[in-house]
Amino acid sequence: NGCALTETDPMSPLKTMISYIQANYQNKITLKDVAEAGAMCQSKCCQHFRETLKQSPIEYLQHYRIGKAAYLLEHTNANITEIAMECGFHGASYFTETFRKINGITPKEYRKQQGKG
């Protein structure tokens, strides 16, 4: 039956955890939340992410959020604070700092480069 294949798929818990992050990225997510979504302990969760994606679950979450933010910067006229909140950041300054760390430029500079500034 189809269920047996999913249960023996070693990628299944990772897929579940990634789906959890993608469905809940706008909310506060902890490592514990991600690990519970994959029905495993936090250290095993981190190990899965590191081995497969070469980043921690929280790094994956940040990159996912920043990807969503980049899309909004390109395709909407929402201000930086609105985009930060929409993407699960609880402040524009932390959002800007994280965005710059990942992309090398600020959200404002990014938007300007996209011709939206």
Side-chain angles (χ1 to χ4, degrees):
N1 83 35
C3 290
L5 288 176
T6 323
E7 289 166 16
T8 57
D9 177 3
M11 296 306 288
S12 187
L14 183 64
K15 289 175 188 169
T16 303
M17 292 183 287
I18 288 171
S19 294
Y20 175 83
I21 288 171
Q22 292 176 352
N24 296 287
Y25 74 94
Q26 294 171 306
N27 307 318
K28 181 178 178 2
I29 297 178
T30 65
L31 176 58
K32 183 174 184 266
D33 298 329
V34 177
E36 284 176 0
M40 62 182 63
C41 69
Q42 293 178 34
S43 60
K44 189 78 172 161
C45 169
C46 288
Q47 185 182 345
H48 262 308
F49 270 82
R50 285 251 177 252
E51 287 173 357
T52 311
L53 302 173
K54 308 294 183 241
Q55 56 188 190
S56 74
I58 300 308
E59 286 168 333
Y60 177 85
L61 169 62
Q62 284 187 331
H63 280 83
Y64 189 80
R65 284 176 169 166
I66 293 300
K68 289 292 187 183
Y71 179 86
L72 293 173
L73 287 165
E74 280 182 61
H75 297 95
T76 73
N77 291 319
N79 70 41
I80 303 299
T81 302
E82 290 169 337
I83 291 173
M85 297 307 202
E86 174 78 18
C87 295
F89 290 93
H90 298 289
S93 59
Y94 178 63
F95 164 64
T96 299
E97 176 188 321
T98 305
F99 193 97
R100 183 177 22 234
K101 190 165 53 173
I102 290 172
N103 292 316
I105 55 175
T106 66
K108 196 173 185 176
E109 291 166 335
Y110 180 87
R111 180 173 262 169
K112 206 171 275 180
Q113 281 184 5
Q114 305 306 313
K116 296 285 286 181

